[in-house]
Amino acid sequence: MIRYFEPPPPPSQLPAELPSPFAVPPHPLALRAIAELEVGPLREGKMFGVLVVRDGERRIGYLRAFSGMLDGRWDHDGYVGPVFAAAARAAFWPAGEAELGVLAAGQRIVDDDPAHADHAALAARHAGELAALKTRHAARKAERAIARQGARGGGAQALDQQSRADSAERRELDRAHAAELAPVAARVAVLRLRSL
């Protein structure tokens, strides 16, 4: 199962201790094993891996593996086999696959419920309305800042009243949005609970 490096790496290339398999960049020996990995034509979505090892005679090589099935088979010469017993998997898999199919069909029904689209459309409309309100309020605030420079007495009070009116308008919009969104959000929450 071990594929040995030819020529063997010199002792100076061997790490003093095992580096992390998640090291970035990988250790040079891991890169060499990757370069030697022959996977044939590119298989989209297939994950291959190597593990650099030293055997009992202190020879350096690597193990090769792939995820899932490759060309419809679990085992291929020169690759580490699956970590499960194929016969045990074959005994439970058909029933498990059927159950997954039922669950997936139920999830599709939940996902296709119009409440999701309604919720997204409402959230998008609310975001647009809030952005427009914030733009108007920012413009009014800038106008008030200019007006405050020359305002005295009653003029300053009127500007403060306009500021409070903007704050009240924002609170009212938030309240209206929350009231409009609540029933749709509740429906989506129920759908999410059903999908668990």
Side-chain angles (χ1 to χ4, degrees), residues 90-101:
F92 78 82
W93 186 250
E97 194 170 45
E99 184 178 349
L100 287 174

Side-chain angles (χ1 to χ4, degrees), residues 9-194:
S12 63
Q13 286 184 359
L14 302 179
E17 65 180 45
L18 184 65
S20 166
F22 305 107
V24 177
H27 188 276
L29 285 176
L31 291 173
R32 183 174 167 189
I34 291 167
E36 292 182 11
L37 184 64
E38 298 169 8
V39 296
L42 179 64
R43 291 174 174 88
E44 187 174 327
K46 184 54 60 184
M47 182 172 57
F48 291 87
V50 296
L51 177 66
V52 177
V53 296
R54 179 172 45 206
D55 70 8
E57 297 173 14
R58 305 193 62 78
R59 293 182 300 169
I60 305 297
Y62 59 93
L63 300 172
R64 305 181 309 165
F66 55 88
S67 66
M69 295 178 88
L70 181 61
D71 296 331
R73 295 182 19 227
W74 295 107
D75 290 299
H76 284 270
D77 290 339
Y79 286 88
V80 174
V83 294
F84 58 84
R89 183 186 184 283
F92 78 82
W93 186 250
E97 194 170 45
E99 184 178 349
L100 287 174
V102 169
L103 291 171
Q107 184 64 49
R108 280 191 299 277
I109 291 169
V110 168
D111 290 345
D112 291 343
D113 191 287
H116 291 292
D118 293 346
H119 185 270
L122 202 53
R125 182 171 58 80
H126 288 177
E129 290 172 357
L130 182 58
L133 183 72
K134 285 181 175 181
T135 299
R136 284 195 311 273
H137 285 183
R140 290 179 192 163
K141 183 176 182 179
E143 291 170 4
R144 286 193 302 271
I146 292 168
R148 276 197 171 91
Q149 292 174 357
R152 291 195 177 110
Q157 290 175 355
L159 294 171
D160 290 344
Q161 181 59 31
Q162 290 172 6
S163 179
R164 286 191 292 275
D166 282 354
S167 295
E169 185 179 23
R170 168 64 189 268
R171 285 191 302 275
E172 177 57 27
L173 182 67
D174 288 345
R175 186 205 58 74
H177 283 175
E180 189 177 19
L181 191 60
V184 179
R187 173 79 178 132
V188 169
V190 167
L191 291 170
R192 287 187 180 139
L193 285 174
R194 285 186 191 165

